[in-house]
Amino acid sequence: MKLLTKTTIYYVLIATLVFGVGGTVTYYTVLSLINEDISEYFDRKELNYMTKIASGRFTPRTHKTHGHSHHKGVKHDYFHHHFEETDQNLKLFHYGKSHNIYQFITPPAKITSEINDTTLTMGEWQISVRRKCVVRKVKNAYYKICIYKSLEEADDEIEAVIGTVVYLFVSLLIVMLVANYYLSRRLLQPFHQTLGAIKGFRVTNTAPLELQQSNILEFEELNTLVLDMTDKIRDDYRNLKEFTENASHEIQTPLAIIKSKIELLIQSSLNDEQMQHLQSIYEVSNRLSKINKALLLLAKIENQQFQQTHTIDLGELVTKHLQNFQELIEMKNICLKTDLQTSAQISFNPVLADVLISNLLSNAIRHNYQGGEIIVGLTHNVLKINNTGTTDGIKGEAMFERFKKGNNANNSVGLGLSIVKKICDTNQIDIVHLYRTSVHEFQITF
């Protein structure tokens, strides 16, 4: 996940939390204010009605002239139509648009007060109403005063608050995301430029890295560290390269002298025992020379000294090496089967391609038995080399370890397959080894 995406997710989570808490607090604050306002409305109405009853300004209205059906289904706020008291101890004293007042025939058992909300449904419309009923003694009589207040306006206010909070949240979230995207891209531009320079860094390229200047301290420290590290890597690479070249030269020169002296001695008059000793020395010096060359090649591959690539026809390359090994194949009476597609082409370093194919075919011949079989198959991106042979329990990834060799490979230095593996790894090529029913299979996917 990218840093920009990660920070955006955190911003969204924080914004959601802040607006969620803020919206909840705002909702309950507005709800409390609305309830307080309705409560004050009920108190004012109650006091007003009690004053009118006490002063005699209320003309008794003991019979309602019409009911809800009078409004013919039109939404209205004449709530007294919808509420009737069934208590036989009550008689209607007065009614109005938003109240019903009843007089007790006999004094009530206790003074009560109740508030409840209800939803009135008439036909196709609904309306929420809050109803407060209190029992009060005015002069020498008891009255039950029922006051009704529509909650529709309160619901509209709450919906407006919720809508405003949601609108602000969405608007600010969009602004924040857009601002974060462009600001982060601008702020992280030096970092991405440095990252691109690191990706394009090649140890063989002596040109210094060009890193973008930044007024951000952390990015400047990163650039300084990257430059120091790349300089150190180049120095280490140069020292290692010089060491391997010098070591190879210093080893090869004495070996060449030893071999030439041995060849001179072999041509002189020596007895059989002396000849055997010289032969052993000669074989050991040859083996040491091969090991030195193989290790030097591995070091060069690891140091990425084979950078140039060309388009190579794998079919032609395999055919060429099979012709070179033809005598060895015939000497061991090996049956060779090939299925090559000459159109299989890859972009590869020519030297490494030669070493890769040569080592694989040489390994298939060396570790085969007399009268065995080699099958070479090539498609547009897969090369398979199968050969009959035994195993000492070494298979899979262990086959590519250095100095791993079978007991029947006395002439091998144990580095051929290690070189093959290193070539494949350096060029991002997959190679696998399988062994089943006395057959070794090497499969390379380009």
Side-chain angles (χ1 to χ4, degrees):
M1 183 180 293
K2 290 187 177 181
L3 177 62
L4 180 59
T5 305
K6 194 78 171 179
T7 55
T8 301
I9 291 175
Y10 281 127
Y11 281 139
V12 171
L13 292 177
I14 292 172
T16 303
L17 178 63
V18 170
F19 275 95
V21 173
T24 302
V25 171
T26 303
Y27 169 78
Y28 282 106
T29 301
V30 172
L31 186 63
S32 175
L33 292 174
I34 291 173
N35 288 334
E36 185 177 344
D37 183 63
I38 294 175
S39 179
E40 291 177 357
Y41 169 81
F42 282 146
D43 292 341
R44 288 196 308 270
K45 286 292 185 181
E46 178 186 341
L47 181 60
N48 182 39
Y49 295 152
M50 290 177 62
T51 302
K52 288 184 177 181
I53 293 172
S55 63
R57 286 184 290 165
F58 256 153
T59 302
R61 300 174 67 184
T62 58
H63 295 89
K64 296 182 180 180
T65 58
H66 60 267
H68 167 74
S69 59
H70 174 77
H71 299 280
K72 300 179 180 179
V74 178
K75 192 173 183 179
H76 61 84
D77 57 357
Y78 291 84
F79 302 127
H80 64 89
H81 294 324
H82 302 279
F83 298 97
E84 298 290 346
E85 293 291 335
T86 59
D87 190 348
Q88 298 298 320
N89 195 31
L90 293 174
K91 65 177 181 178
L92 183 64
F93 174 76
H94 192 275
Y95 70 89
K97 184 176 180 180
S98 58
H99 71 270
N100 283 323
I101 302 176
Y102 301 90
Q103 186 176 8
F104 282 90
I105 299 174
T106 60
K110 60 180 180 178
I111 304 299
T112 60
S113 176
E114 61 177 348
I115 298 177
N116 53 57
D117 294 343
T118 185
T119 300
L120 302 180
T121 302
M122 291 294 171
E124 297 180 354
W125 58 269
Q126 291 182 335
I127 189 169
S128 297
V129 178
R130 180 165 295 177
R131 171 174 174 264
K132 179 180 180 180
C133 291
V134 295
V135 175
R136 292 289 183 263
K137 182 178 180 181
V138 181
K139 292 188 175 181
N140 294 324
Y142 289 90
Y143 299 88
K144 185 173 184 178
I145 304 172
C146 294
I147 309 168
Y148 315 111
K149 172 69 174 175
S150 171
L151 297 179
E152 193 169 25
E153 183 178 348
D155 292 339
D156 291 341
E157 292 178 1
I158 292 175
E159 289 179 3
V161 169
I162 294 175
T164 302
V165 170
V166 171
Y167 172 77
L168 289 175
F169 171 72
V170 174
S171 300
L172 290 177
L173 184 62
I174 293 173
V175 172
M176 183 183 66
L177 291 178
V178 173
N180 175 60
Y181 176 77
Y182 285 103
L183 287 176
S184 296
R185 284 193 63 181
R186 183 176 179 83
L187 291 174
L188 291 176
Q189 184 180 359
F191 171 77
H192 288 298
Q193 195 275 339
T194 301
L195 186 62
I198 294 173
K199 290 179 179 179
F201 173 73
R202 294 293 180 270
V203 71
T204 55
N205 187 2
T206 58
L209 289 180
E210 296 183 1
L211 303 180
Q212 182 176 336
Q213 294 287 334
S214 174
N215 57 2
I216 299 176
L217 178 61
E218 288 79 3
F219 290 160
E220 281 298 301
E221 291 179 351
L222 175 63
N223 290 348
T224 302
L225 180 61
V226 168
L227 290 174
D228 291 342
M229 289 183 64
T230 52
D231 290 342
K232 181 67 168 60
I233 291 171
R234 284 197 180 100
D235 289 340
D236 291 343
Y237 166 74
R238 184 169 56 253
N239 294 333
L240 180 60
K241 182 181 177 183
E242 292 176 357
F243 170 77
T244 53
E245 290 175 351
N246 294 337
S248 174
H249 179 267
E250 294 301 324
I251 293 174
Q252 282 296 112
T253 301
L255 283 175
I257 296 172
I258 291 172
K259 290 171 66 177
S260 64
K261 296 297 183 182
I262 293 174
E263 290 173 354
L264 289 175
L265 288 173
I266 290 175
Q267 296 175 8
S268 62
S269 300
L270 298 174
N271 58 39
D272 292 341
E273 184 179 357
Q274 291 172 333
M275 189 63 71
Q276 289 178 359
H277 289 315
L278 282 176
Q279 185 66 30
S280 298
I281 296 172
Y282 187 76
E283 291 176 356
V284 171
S285 63
N286 273 337
R287 174 175 168 76
L288 184 58
S289 179
K290 290 180 181 179
I291 292 174
N292 179 63
K293 290 179 180 179
L295 290 175
L296 177 62
L297 179 59
L298 277 171
K300 288 183 177 180
I301 295 172
E302 290 173 347
N303 293 335
Q304 300 180 2
Q305 293 180 234
F306 299 94
Q307 295 291 325
Q308 294 183 351
T309 59
H310 299 284
T311 300
I312 297 174
D313 191 313
L314 274 179
E316 291 182 1
L317 185 62
V318 172
T319 301
K320 182 186 77 171
H321 282 285
L322 286 175
Q323 292 173 354
N324 293 339
F325 288 115
Q326 188 63 38
E327 292 184 4
L328 292 176
I329 293 173
E330 292 175 354
M331 285 176 59
K332 297 188 74 169
N333 195 26
I334 295 174
C335 177
L336 176 63
K337 297 180 181 179
T338 61
D339 180 16
L340 307 178
Q341 293 184 7
T342 56
S343 60
Q345 295 184 341
I346 60 171
S347 179
F348 216 80
N349 180 270
V351 176
L352 295 184
D354 277 329
V355 173
L356 177 68
I357 301 302
S358 177
N359 283 9
L360 285 173
L361 292 177
S362 175
N363 179 80
I365 296 170
R366 180 181 296 112
H367 296 280
N368 216 319
Y369 48 72
Q370 195 73 24
E373 183 180 61
I374 294 177
I375 303 175
V376 181
L378 176 64
T379 63
H380 70 285
N381 66 337
V382 177
L383 172 64
K384 288 185 180 180
I385 299 178
N386 295 5
N387 67 275
T388 53
T390 59
T391 181
D392 298 322
I394 303 172
K395 56 184 177 180
E397 289 295 318
M399 287 292 293
F400 303 107
E401 295 179 9
R402 296 185 182 185
F403 303 108
K404 287 283 187 179
K405 59 180 182 177
N407 294 331
N408 61 341
N410 296 324
N411 295 328
S412 173
V413 296
L415 291 172
L417 291 180
S418 296
I419 294 173
V420 168
K421 178 64 173 174
K422 183 59 65 176
I423 292 173
C424 291
D425 291 345
T426 305
N427 291 276
Q428 289 81 48
I429 295 173
D430 293 328
I431 181 170
V432 293
H433 169 263
L434 301 172
Y435 180 80
R436 47 178 175 258
T437 61
S438 301
V439 174
H440 292 273
E441 177 181 311
F442 289 89
Q443 177 176 309
I444 301 178
T445 304
F446 294 93

